[in-house]
Amino acid sequence: MSSNKRITTTVIQERKVAGKAITMLTAYDFSMAKFLDDAGVDMLLVGDSLGNVVLGYDSTLPVTMEDMIHHGKAVCRGAKRAMVVVDMPFMSYQVSTEQAVANAGRIMKETGAQAVKLEGGQEVADAVKAIVRAGIPVVGHLGLTPQSVHSLGGFKVQGKEEKGAQKLLDDAKLLEESGAFAVVLECVPALLAQKVTDSIAIPTIGIGAGVYCDGQVLVTNDLLGLFPGFTPKFVKQYANLHTQLAQAIAEYRKEVEERAFPGAEHSFKISDEVLEKLY
Ligand code: KIV
């Protein structure tokens, strides 16, 4: 497989030049981070989708700095080669540039991650510049930005009309000028993502943004089919672990109830001599 050297921002940027696709997946804990790292995934995103898939909220808004740091630390312990990017949670970078730098610094210091990600374009350009000036690599995030779900009016494809598409393109250029080293494009038409990808020198990483991006990201739990029910159009389920998990758990329950588990092979022995001495 590829070398064990840590993937850096330079490696990620060189991929765009070389035309070699970047792989990114979300991770929220040590074991999954280790799986993904061992499988050679380039970038692990400790996404604030943590709020939905791990913490059980119905949006990413309640996620806190403490949540991101707690899970960021666990992921960093499992990732030896992949670059770890930690999401800055809602309201950790919007209030002031100073607070954005302080919070990005806390994430880097306390988790050991290699970069942070934050959502938005022109609205967060000053924060991006200041964080980059502090020596912290930044990934931008445009299109459907889940922290703004209420102002976007729901989880919808972005940039279908001229005004929105132009803003997205301008924002991507501004993020590049502000020093971001990559940008996630979420839920945008494939040909708009292609136009953005061709218009900036930093890599684009798409989720629901078609095949022309420089890389792809998915929420790992979606890819593995860990949830029954609704799956967004842009997700491809590479496994259906929900069914396998449900079967395994049902079997465990049945065997415990029938006293078929644990068997002798799962149990420890004691000598008759010791047993006989007990009163
Ligand atoms: O939080 C997250 O998982 C993300 C991805 C959807 C890109 O931001």
Side-chain angles (χ1 to χ4, degrees), residues 26 28 45 47-49 87 117 141 184 186 207 217 219:
T26 62
Y28 314 103
L45 173 64
D48 61 355
S49 49
D87 258 345
K117 174 166 87 57
H141 185 156
V184 167
E186 180 166 353
I207 173 163
V217 56
V219 170

Side-chain angles (χ1 to χ4, degrees), residues 6-9 44-46 65-66 68-77 82-89 92 99-118 128 130-139 181:
R6 177 78 71 183
I7 301 274
T8 61
T9 54
L44 305 193
L45 173 64
V46 188
M65 279 288 292
E66 276 60 39
M68 295 312 300
I69 288 172
H70 181 73
H71 289 267
K73 279 181 177 172
V75 168
C76 286
R77 287 193 283 266
M83 170 189 283
V84 178
V85 181
V86 176
D87 258 345
M88 297 195 66
S92 68
Q99 208 183 72
V101 177
N103 282 327
R106 242 195 100 192
I107 289 174
M108 298 295 283
K109 249 180 191 297
E110 296 183 33
T111 65
Q114 285 78 47
V116 297
K117 174 166 87 57
L118 49 87
V128 171
I131 296 171
V132 171
R133 221 180 295 123
I136 301 172
V138 173
V139 178
F181 75 93

Side-chain angles (χ1 to χ4, degrees), residues 43-271:
M43 300 171 86
L44 305 193
L45 173 64
V46 188
D48 61 355
S49 49
L50 166 79
N52 304 96
V53 299
V54 177
L55 302 177
Y57 299 129
D58 60 8
S59 81
T60 58
L61 272 62
V63 176
T64 64
M65 279 288 292
E66 276 60 39
D67 293 332
M68 295 312 300
I69 288 172
H70 181 73
H71 289 267
K73 279 181 177 172
V75 168
C76 286
R77 287 193 283 266
K80 302 290 172 242
R81 172 185 171 271
M83 170 189 283
V84 178
V85 181
V86 176
D87 258 345
M88 297 195 66
F90 181 57
M91 281 300 133
S92 68
Y93 56 93
Q94 293 91 339
V95 177
S96 72
T97 301
E98 290 71 24
Q99 208 183 72
V101 177
N103 282 327
R106 242 195 100 192
I107 289 174
M108 298 295 283
K109 249 180 191 297
E110 296 183 33
T111 65
Q114 285 78 47
V116 297
K117 174 166 87 57
L118 49 87
E119 298 181 4
Q122 173 261 323
E123 316 76 21
V124 297
D126 286 342
V128 171
K129 278 186 204 153
I131 296 171
V132 171
R133 221 180 295 123
I136 301 172
V138 173
V139 178
H141 185 156
L142 296 172
L144 171 52
T145 44
Q147 292 177 13
S148 307
V149 60
H150 299 302
S151 56
L152 295 176
F155 294 96
K156 300 182 197 158
V157 179
Q158 300 295 306
K160 286 178 97 165
E161 309 300 332
E162 185 186 338
K163 193 166 163 230
Q166 189 60 54
K167 173 161 166 50
L168 198 136
L169 184 55
D170 293 344
D171 278 346
K173 291 178 183 169
L174 188 56
L175 284 175
E176 177 181 19
E177 273 167 43
S178 304
F181 75 93
V183 59
V184 167
L185 300 179
E186 180 166 353
C187 273
V188 304
L191 292 182
L192 174 59
Q194 182 181 34
K195 172 106 185 137
V196 173
T197 302
D198 292 346
S199 306
I200 57 177
I202 58 172
T204 56
I205 303 177
I207 173 163
V211 75
Y212 306 112
C213 295
D214 297 300
Q216 297 292 329
V217 56
L218 279 180
V219 170
T220 302
N221 301 48
D222 290 340
L223 168 157
L224 295 176
L226 278 169
F227 295 116
F230 175 75
T231 312
K233 171 183 163 81
F234 57 80
V235 169
K236 178 170 176 184
Q237 285 193 343
Y238 287 82
N240 187 351
L241 291 194
H242 166 257
T243 308
Q244 277 175 266
L245 287 178
Q247 275 165 1
I249 294 161
E251 200 175 332
Y252 165 78
R253 184 181 155 200
K254 181 170 171 289
E255 289 199 357
V256 168
E257 287 174 355
E258 290 171 353
R259 301 206 182 276
F261 174 83
E265 69 277 28
H266 308 114
S267 306
F268 302 100
K269 291 191 173 131
I270 185 172
S271 71

